[in-house]
Amino acid sequence: MSSNPVAETVASLMPRAKAELAELVAFKSVADFDQYPKSESEGAANWVADALRAEGFTDVALLDTPDGTQSVYGYLPGPEGAKTVLLYAHYDVQPPLDEAAWATPPFELTERDGRWYGRGSADCKGGVIMHLLALRALKANGGIPVSVKVIAEGSEEMGTGGLERYAEEHPELLKADTVVIGDAGNFRVGLPTVTTTLRGMTLVRVQVDTLEGNLHSGQFGGAAPDALAALVRALDSLRAEDGSTTVDGLDGDSAWDGLQYDEEQFRKDAKVLDGVELIGSGTVADRIWARPAVTVLGIDCPPVVGATPSVQAGARALISLRVPPGVDAVEATKLLQAHLEAHTPWGARVHTEQIGQGQAFRADTTSPAYQAMADAMAVAYPGQEMQYAGQGGSIPLCNTLAALYPQAEILLIGLSEPEAQIHAVNESVSPEELERLSVAEALFLRNYAAG
Ligand SMILES: [Zn+2]
């Protein structure tokens, strides 16, 4: 990599990148303003805005999004007729959780064993720095051949949807030919990976009623229809013997054809207790990236403490169904509702309600943008071929952008490899990953402009 001028420039910029990341990490920019002062988030937003202005961005603005947070926007016009690329990151962070459990203070970037520790160092303040490094490296080596829009969100970790709604209300603002979301991560350190699919999700609440009121379990139990028992049976019908998700009419056999997830590694990553089996069938990648997965998120019934000897008249549950790419979340929701209604026993009254829904996402990996990224990754990670991984969760903004700009390709890369321990205590970033991915992003922009 050292023979590449862009790589040489990025290498020379790493000390500055570290100092900047330290400044950015020092802001306690948790977008929960009951727990953290809003001024911390404002400080981080202004830091990003100033950094964009210093790079020559025009129209730099702090956008007030409907959830009461701010997204930072900037535009850097490229040569006449150039394509436009949108670079995304977020400057808000997860709360540090148990601060005492951190080996070093969460809001002080600290180097240890070759990694830089601090909340947001990988997720996603490092992503902000990655975008800056890529642009600076191109500037120092012939210029930036595309028009660039940057958007740095202020409430990604809260899931309050401020930027999504703002983008829908201002449909021209983030319009681009290609989007790079700098908030994902390599499958492991040193293995260049693009996340190509995200599962969608649907949330359904189910209410089961059997009696006008609770009854004494001694006097009536045995014949009186128990709503909680009916609910448990309906919920259990959502799983096969091996734990696979079974929703009537919903395909549960799809296979993942990209990178595979080693089963032992998965057990370790998921911290599965010794002797406990994984659930489902197929490879781990099939199960978490290509197939539906149901999870009961909560059940309303009497808690153990204070429970009385009663047969329950009513009970309800909240169910999430992760929907793989290729399956319409609206259709999956209807199937889940119909399944619950059909599988609730004893003629119990059952009422289902959909309370949230997001579509799955699948990138077009045959697009010119993917080829440009694969070529860039091959230079940034010599000897490695770019891998395609899925992600079990969803990124709502991805869907918003995909719906607003159906022609735009979306690439998900970033610094959140497993060792980064994002969202946990002792989050860190690998400076080598930051360096290589910045090189990759710079070369991607160059390749994409030329393609
Ligand atoms: Zn993130």
Side-chain angles (χ1 to χ4, degrees), residues 175-403:
K175 191 168 187 195
D177 297 298
T178 283
V179 180
V180 179
I181 307 261
D183 191 28
N186 288 341
F187 189 69
R188 59 168 192 271
V189 170
L191 186 68
T193 311
V194 184
T195 301
T196 58
T197 67
L198 305 168
R199 285 195 293 196
M201 185 172 92
T202 178
L203 279 176
V204 167
R205 198 154 46 198
V206 54
Q207 169 83 39
V208 174
D209 295 293
T210 52
L211 300 162
E212 282 182 13
N214 290 353
L215 298 173
H216 191 274
S217 63
Q219 193 178 357
F220 294 98
D226 181 329
L228 180 54
L231 177 64
V232 166
R233 186 152 289 186
L235 296 178
D236 188 53
S237 74
L238 293 167
R239 290 187 188 287
E241 202 60 38
D242 65 4
S244 307
T245 292
T246 50
V247 175
D248 294 347
L250 188 62
D251 178 23
D253 295 327
S254 298
W256 177 258
D257 60 5
L259 184 72
Q260 288 299 325
Y261 198 147
D262 176 69
E263 192 160 328
E264 275 315 301
Q265 186 61 47
F266 179 84
R267 291 188 68 89
K268 245 170 82 185
D269 292 345
K271 300 185 172 72
V272 179
L273 300 178
D274 280 346
V276 180
E277 295 167 27
L278 300 187
I279 61 171
S281 63
T283 68
V284 169
D286 294 341
R287 296 179 222 183
I288 62 172
W289 296 334
R291 296 183 181 181
V294 78
T295 306
V296 177
L297 303 184
I299 299 180
D300 283 348
C301 62
V304 171
V305 175
T308 58
S310 305
V311 174
Q312 298 300 310
R316 64 177 189 164
L318 181 62
I319 301 165
S320 103
L321 178 66
R322 297 283 173 178
V323 181
V327 174
D328 177 30
V330 178
E331 188 58 28
T333 304
K334 286 189 192 140
L335 291 171
L336 175 59
Q337 288 177 292
H339 179 107
L340 289 165
E341 283 156 20
H343 289 267
T344 302
W346 316 317
R349 293 188 191 164
V350 53
H351 176 73
T352 62
E353 189 185 355
Q354 178 218 308
I355 58 167
Q357 175 179 282
Q359 293 288 357
F361 166 79
R362 173 153 47 198
D364 175 9
T365 55
T366 64
S367 61
Y370 267 81
Q371 194 52 55
M373 185 61 86
D375 293 345
M377 289 286 204
V379 177
Y381 291 85
Q384 299 283 358
E385 201 182 320
M386 189 172 87
Q387 304 289 319
Y388 300 138
Q391 190 170 303
S394 50
I395 301 180
L397 182 69
C398 247
N399 298 94
T400 304
L401 296 176

Side-chain angles (χ1 to χ4, degrees), residues 90 123-124 156-157 183 416 422-423:
H90 61 86
D123 178 21
C124 184
E156 194 277 341
E157 303 292 5
D183 191 28
S416 298
I422 60 163
H423 297 198

